[in-house]
Structure formats: structure tokens, C-alpha cells
Amino acid sequence: MTPADLTRTGDGILPAETIADLTRDGAIRPASPYAPDQIQPASLDLRLGRRAWRVRTSFLPGAGRSVMDCASRYALHEIDLTPGAVLETGCVYIAELQEALALPADLSGSANPKSSTGRIDVFTRVIADKAEAFDQAGAGYHGPLYAEISPRTFPVLVRTGSRLSQMRFRRGEVRLTDAELAALHARTPLVSAAAPSFLGGISVSVDLAGFDGLIGYRAKRHTGLVDVDAPGRHRTADFWEPLAADGSGTLILDPGQFYILASKEAVQVPPDHAAEMVPFDPLVGEFRVHYAGFFDPGFGAAAAGGTGARAVLEVRSRDVPFLLEDGQIVGRLVYERMAGIPATLYGAGAGSNYQAQGLKLSKHFRDD
């Protein structure tokens, strides 16, 4: 499929250039001009606004109610984010976002945490007025957007303009079926597995054999703050315990602990597609994998100078200890067609922090 074909169909995930057009035409309404790298190849980073509220419960507004109707009911206090504010672990916050929408009737939006947000275990979801589901702005939605934020492991410092979430814009139903996915993989290998499984997406497994002697990291408790806008400022040793490979190919997840692991497969996303990590099956184990699920066009792909990149897995056990084994399937990658090929692919721009990654913590941490 050529770029001209993609442009002609009009259906698919919108590329960066079309997101810029939507902004110019008023379908996306930012409160202030975009940051230089805010528009990604297939998504838009969403920025925190001026105000946030500590609330006593998470909620969905539901039909007929605005987010602010509910937030005012459950708010404990208001927070000014302009000078920066600390969000504590175990608490729930609702924050204004600077981006509002006036979408045309054939266009919808879906959101996800940014990769760096998921890797510091900040649980965040986007909420629209009258929404009956998180992270969704229905076709034709007109109104503001808000972020629900709940740090799970590290307290975080945020401020007006901090970017925790990202939104994709979609026209039509363009997710590949398993048959289409298998055909795409035959033309352009999507994962490095010799015989991948296609079942509601392409299966992704966990690597517990080790990367240079490590299988992953376990987050420490009772740490200092993570400044979400400060790449490289924090010492890895102050926040993370490295997990050595012991040859067993297993890891027992402790309830309530947060882990960074990596996929066994190297992943590639062709320039004319976008991908998303989704849970494999809630019946296979008591754990959650990968808060941040978007993979942009060009991720790990040869067209962007890559040779495949591992999917980093943000893993949390739920209520009981759970045994993970090397090669166990933990998620699925679903692929969708792009409505156009972005001019700059993931890995070819300054904002691509994880293009050649193996086992990699978020950009906030440094080894010294």
C-alpha cells in the first residue's frame, strides 16, 4: 500500500501531519501553543493544565454529567499546578488538560499513558464529559479533557505542561484481523518469534533468561520524588532493585510490587501501521502487564534505522504471589492501519527515547 493509497482511503490512525491540520482547523483546541515535540508520529501528547483536585474516589461521569460535576462532588481540595505540585502515592487526582476537542462526526480519540509514565507506575486515564469508558473520546466529541492520576509506587512532581498521556485519533474500523496480521507478518516480520501465535493479536511473551545478567528491576518502596519533567536526574539505585538472572527462568511476583521486565520477542511496527499492547487474557494469571500500550509507526523497524526493539513490560501482581516463567505469554500486540505515513517515524526524531531498547527503565533514571 503506497502513501497515496492511504491518503485516499481516509480511514485509519491519523499521522502527525493530519493532527497538525486538525489543530489548525479547530478540531483540537490547545490552551497554549504546542511544545516542539508534542505531536508524535501517530499521537498527540496531552498536557496538564493549571488546576487539579485531590478526590476521594475514581469515577466515570456517565451520560448527562460533566467531569467537573463529579469532581466537585468528590473533591477534597484544589491544587495549583503552576508552580509544581507533589502527587502522593495511593491518592487519586483529577487534573485539567490543556487540549480540548471539537471532533468531526467520523473521528474519535483514544488515550493511553505515555511510555515514560507507565514505567514509573503512575496510573493515569483520560476522561471526557459524559464518558461511560475511560480513555475514550467518542466520534464527534466536543468538550474538555481531564486526566485521572494515581501514583502507585513513587510520589511524583508534576506541573502545568507535564505530559503523562497521549491520544490517537481514528477514523473507521481499521484494526487488522488475525488473518490480515499473519499476512502482514509474512511480508514484514512484526516479531522475532519463529512461529508467532495470532489470537486476537500477535502474542508477546516475557524474557526471564536475562539481559547481561539481569531479568528486570523491582521498584523500591519509600523513595524520594520522581520529577516527571526531569530526564536523567534520578539515580537508578535510589529507586530500583536489579533482579539477577539465576538460571531458573522464573520470577515470583510479590503482591503489590512493581516490576520492569522485557519481552522475549523483538518488535517492529511498519511505517504504514501503528500498534498497541493489550492484555493477553485475565484468566491466565493474577497480574497486569503494560500500562502504556502505544507503539508508533517505525518502532523497531528497519525503515527508521531499527532492527527490532523489545517491548518493555510494566508488571504488577494483584492479590496473590504469581509465578512467571520464561517465554510465558503476557500480552498481545494489535495492529491498525495508518491513514497516512508520517513524515518522521519513531526512531528518526529527537523524541524517540526507546527505539533500540532491550531491558530499559524510563528516561528519568541514570546509572552512576
Side-chain angles (χ1 to χ4, degrees):
M1 184 175 290
T2 68
D5 291 331
L6 290 165
T7 302
R8 187 169 60 248
T9 64
D11 286 350
I13 302 295
L14 301 190
E17 293 74 20
T18 309
I19 293 173
D21 290 343
L22 287 174
T23 306
R24 182 200 62 208
D25 295 340
I28 305 172
R29 300 178 177 180
S32 60
Y34 289 148
D37 61 347
Q38 190 173 340
I39 301 179
Q40 299 294 316
S43 63
L44 174 69
D45 290 350
L46 303 176
R47 300 167 296 175
L48 299 184
R50 185 180 63 83
R51 297 183 299 170
W53 295 265
R54 164 79 165 90
V55 292
R56 58 190 176 93
T57 181
S58 175
F59 61 82
L60 276 169
R65 294 189 299 180
S66 70
V67 173
M68 287 309 304
D69 288 340
C70 300
S72 61
R73 180 180 308 173
Y74 302 120
L76 300 177
H77 60 269
E78 183 175 319
I79 302 166
D80 182 3
L81 297 180
T82 306
V86 174
L87 306 186
E88 301 284 357
T89 58
C91 298
V92 182
Y93 303 87
I94 300 295
E96 297 174 325
L97 292 175
Q98 292 191 44
E99 287 70 37
L101 302 178
L103 297 178
D106 63 344
L107 200 65
S108 63
S110 62
N112 233 313
K114 288 176 60 64
S115 292
S116 296
T117 306
R119 294 186 203 202
I120 56 173
D121 201 20
V122 175
F123 186 66
T124 184
R125 302 184 286 198
V126 171
I127 316 176
D129 285 346
K130 303 179 183 179
E132 297 179 326
F134 292 108
D135 287 332
Q136 301 297 319
Y141 175 73
H142 283 55
L145 297 172
Y146 300 84
E148 176 191 295
I149 308 166
S150 182
R152 305 294 302 277
T153 295
F154 309 127
V156 295
L157 176 62
V158 302
R159 54 188 63 77
T160 299
S162 295
R163 291 180 262 169
L164 302 180
S165 302
Q166 56 194 341
M167 177 164 278
R168 281 181 174 170
F169 299 93
R170 177 183 292 101
R171 181 179 289 113
E173 294 295 328
V174 291
R175 178 175 292 189
L176 271 61
T177 66
D178 287 340
E180 291 171 329
L181 195 56
L184 176 62
H185 176 74
R187 297 193 304 271
T188 305
L190 304 177
V191 295
S192 58
S197 169
F198 301 97
L199 183 62
I202 191 166
S203 298
V204 174
S205 64
V206 64
D207 191 326
L208 297 179
F211 300 80
D212 297 325
L214 293 180
I215 60 171
Y217 295 88
R218 179 167 50 214
K220 293 183 175 182
R221 296 180 180 272
H222 314 297
T223 68
L225 287 171
V226 174
D227 185 334
V228 302
D229 300 314
R233 180 175 295 179
H234 311 286
R235 294 178 64 245
T236 295
D238 294 336
F239 293 86
W240 297 97
E241 174 190 357
L243 301 174
D246 60 7
S248 70
T250 63
L251 175 65
I252 296 177
L253 304 175
D254 292 324
Q257 291 288 107
F258 181 66
Y259 300 81
I260 294 293
L261 306 174
S263 69
K264 185 167 283 291
E265 299 82 9
V267 173
Q268 296 194 43
V269 182
D272 54 353
H273 286 77
E276 181 178 356
M277 178 78 82
V278 297
F280 176 63
D281 186 340
L283 301 179
V284 302
E286 291 298 314
F287 62 94
R288 176 189 172 98
V289 172
H290 217 292
Y291 291 140
F294 287 164
F295 292 73
D296 274 342
F299 179 86
T307 57
R310 306 296 181 100
V312 165
L313 308 171
E314 300 116 19
V315 181
R316 172 180 290 279
S317 186
R318 291 173 179 157
D319 300 320
V320 297
F322 187 80
L323 177 70
L324 277 184
E325 298 184 84
D326 185 49
Q328 182 171 341
I329 295 174
V330 293
R332 297 169 297 156
L333 276 173
V334 297
Y335 284 71
E336 295 181 282
R337 286 180 287 273
M338 292 290 296
I341 297 177
T344 301
L345 301 175
Y346 189 90
S352 305
N353 294 294
Y354 308 114
Q355 173 67 334
Q357 70 183 2
L359 176 65
K360 188 175 176 65
L361 296 172
S362 79
K363 62 185 179 182
H364 305 96
F365 301 102
R366 70 179 191 275
D367 294 324
D368 60 17

